[in-house]
Structures are given as structure tokens and as C-alpha cells.
Amino acid sequence: MITVYLAGPEVFLPDGRAILEAKRTVLRDYGLEPVSPPAEFRDQAKGSCMERGLEISRRNEQLVRLGDACIANLTPFRGPSADAGTVYELGFAAALGKLVTSYSNDATLYSHRVQDAINAGADLREDSGDLWALDGMRVENHGMADNLMLAGGVLTRGGQVHVPGHVATDLWRDLDTFTQAVRDLAQI
Amino acid sequence: MITVYLAGPEVFLPDGRAILEAKRTVLRDYGLEPVSPPAEFRDQAKGSCMERGLEISRRNEQLVRLGDACIANLTPFRGPSADAGTVYELGFAAALGKLVTSYSNDATLYSHRVQDAINAGADLREDSGDLWALDGMRVENHGMADNLMLAGGVLTRGGQVHVPGHVATDLWRDLDTFTQAVRDLAQI
């Protein structure tokens, strides 16, 4: 049975535990198994705030290693790109040769989100085929859902960046697109 | 001689080539060698914008593999966290067992930047030891420079998130803190 590490920023939501439990149920519905923390991980991390952070980082890396696959929630988080921790874990899983796939509940292109976030409605400037934002920086223009390393990393490995065909009713709790990613993974 | 992959968003700057060349010079000054693209990488990526994106993604992954080490520029990019592509490469390098270290030209804590970006000056709400932003989401409070997976990933492997003791004169072109990271790496 394929074991799956769920990478995503749900841990930052007030009802994150419930959302993650719902996602684990979807995995099981499709015959996949969520990665379970080994017994020694069951305790809360202890120590100073920095020590706790380091301990959680090591635990999460270990959990990624334990899984056969990783599904990354790339829904934009506090900016036009996905949550940084999720992205780190996606890169980590890809390098380990895990099955990787992903989804985002925001179907807009990365370049459009940068336009919204940085240019606040003004068009991006086009120059010699490149797009530029008002922050003076180039905007990736590869027709991808996020930075090309993320999208490329999953696409190169046979995964997808699944996006909704409709506007998600709730960016963090609508599991339709996640379920699509799970269904695809279960068919491998 | 230790070969080093430079992960960072310089490619999005109008003078990115010059900045990267300056960074490579610093590496050589300290006896390190920047990863050189193999000959077959010298051509520009071809094809549709999506195909070019995929090709760049594969090339960058290959370059990370070629290096013994990776120095990630975690200076916040279009939000409170580092550039997503850089973070992916950092996770990728960490999983491959590379020497990893990093720097940011912004010395503020991640929690402070979220406060600035999301709360726009209002204090974060504290509840049972957790910090919450006005977007309804928890804010990591581990005294770290960015998401704990990034900071934890490098610290666990003996690397650092070097930050400036002063305010960087130019977030993208001040190489003092980068040089500090290089100096540390050269002493391993």
C-alpha cells in the first residue's frame, strides 16, 4: 500500500487538525495510507521555541522519508507563492525519488497573482518577451501555477499541479481538487 | 575543491547576471568553486513557454546534484518568506545530503515580517502561547528567520541562516552577509 506524506500549511489554520483528518480520510477512501508518525514522535516537541522548531523540522523530514509519495498543497500562502515549508518538503521529497504530485485551490497563473500582489491592478510591463513587475523584478512567464521549480519538479516526475475548474468555495477547506490529486495518485 | 550551487532569486533582477558573477567571484576568493553548467546546458532552453520552464527546472535540479554544497539566498521575496524556487532547491539539496547553508539580507524575524505584511502594523494576537495574524492563521513563533523547515533544514545540517548585523544597503546587491556564509563554508 502506498503511504503518502501530506505537505501543506493546514497546521497554521485554527481547524487544521480537522482538515488534515478529512484529508487522511480521503486518502484511505482511495486505498492510500497517510504516513503515520512513529511512536517516538507522539510527544509534543519540548525545549525553547527555537529547539521546538528544530525538532519539528527534523520530524517532518523524517515523515517525508517514511512516505512513498508526497502530495503538496501549493495553494498560495501569504503571498503569490505556496507556503515555504511545503515547498521545502516538496523539493526534499523530489530529491529522494518519492512519487510527487500537488494541487492548488487557486487556479490563476503565478504571473497573474504577482500582478495582483505587486502591481495592484496595473499591467505587468512586457519587454523583449519578458514580464516585469513594479518591484523592478522579472516575473516568470511559463504559464505555470507557481515558480517553475515547483511545477517543473512535479511535472517532470509524472505528477500534476491540479487546480479547480471552479472557484474553490473555501481555499483551505474545499477538498475537491485535493481529492482529484489523490484519485490520480491511486491509479499509478 | 568544494563546488557550490548558488540558489537565489537573482535571476529575476534586471542585473541578475552581474550579481551572480560577483557572487561567483566571492566563492573563488575563498577557494570554493561555483557549479558550472555542463556543456550541453549552454544553449538557451527551447520550445513553448511551458517546455522552457520544465527544461530550466530539470537543469537547475541537475546543477544542484552536481554541487557538493548549496548556499541559499533566503532574503524575503514578494512576501514574508524566501523565493519559492530557492526554497525548493534548498530542500532538494538537503535531501541529497549536500552541505547546506544560507543567508538573508533581512535580519527581522519571520513573525515580524508576517505582522508587517498581513497585520499592516497591528500587533499579532497571542492566544495560549500561539501567535495569530489577522488572516486568521497561526504565525510560527520559533524565533527563526523564516519557516522552520528552511531554518531547521540548514541548522540541523550544521549550516546557518546568516543575517546582517546592520541594515543591508541593498537587499539584493549587498554581498557582506553572503560573503560571511561563504567564509563559514570555506572553513569546513
Side-chain angles (χ1 to χ4, degrees), chain A residues 97-167:
Chain A
K98 307 291 182 185
L99 287 165
V100 287
T101 194
S102 67
Y103 73 102
S104 168
N105 268 341
D106 184 333
T108 58
L109 294 181
Y110 174 70
S111 56
H112 294 171
R113 290 201 305 281
V114 172
Q115 176 156 327
D116 287 348
I118 309 290
N119 277 28
D123 286 342
L124 297 172
R125 181 170 61 85
E126 190 166 350
D127 180 19
S128 316
D130 286 330
L131 289 179
W132 297 86
L134 288 177
D135 59 6
M137 291 193 276
R138 192 194 313 261
V139 182
E140 273 190 43
N141 191 19
H142 295 288
M144 289 179 172
D146 204 323
N147 183 290
L148 65 87
M149 293 307 296
L150 288 53
V154 293
L155 293 170
T156 290
R157 292 173 172 80
Q160 289 290 328
V161 186
H162 295 276
V163 293
H166 58 284
V167 175

Side-chain angles (χ1 to χ4, degrees), chain B residues 54-74:
Chain B
L54 291 174
E55 180 61 21
I56 297 169
S57 151
R58 283 189 290 264
R59 287 177 182 198
N60 286 349
E61 286 192 2
Q62 189 56 29
L63 291 175
V64 177
R65 284 185 198 279
L66 286 172
D68 303 309
C70 173
I71 302 179
N73 177 356
L74 298 181

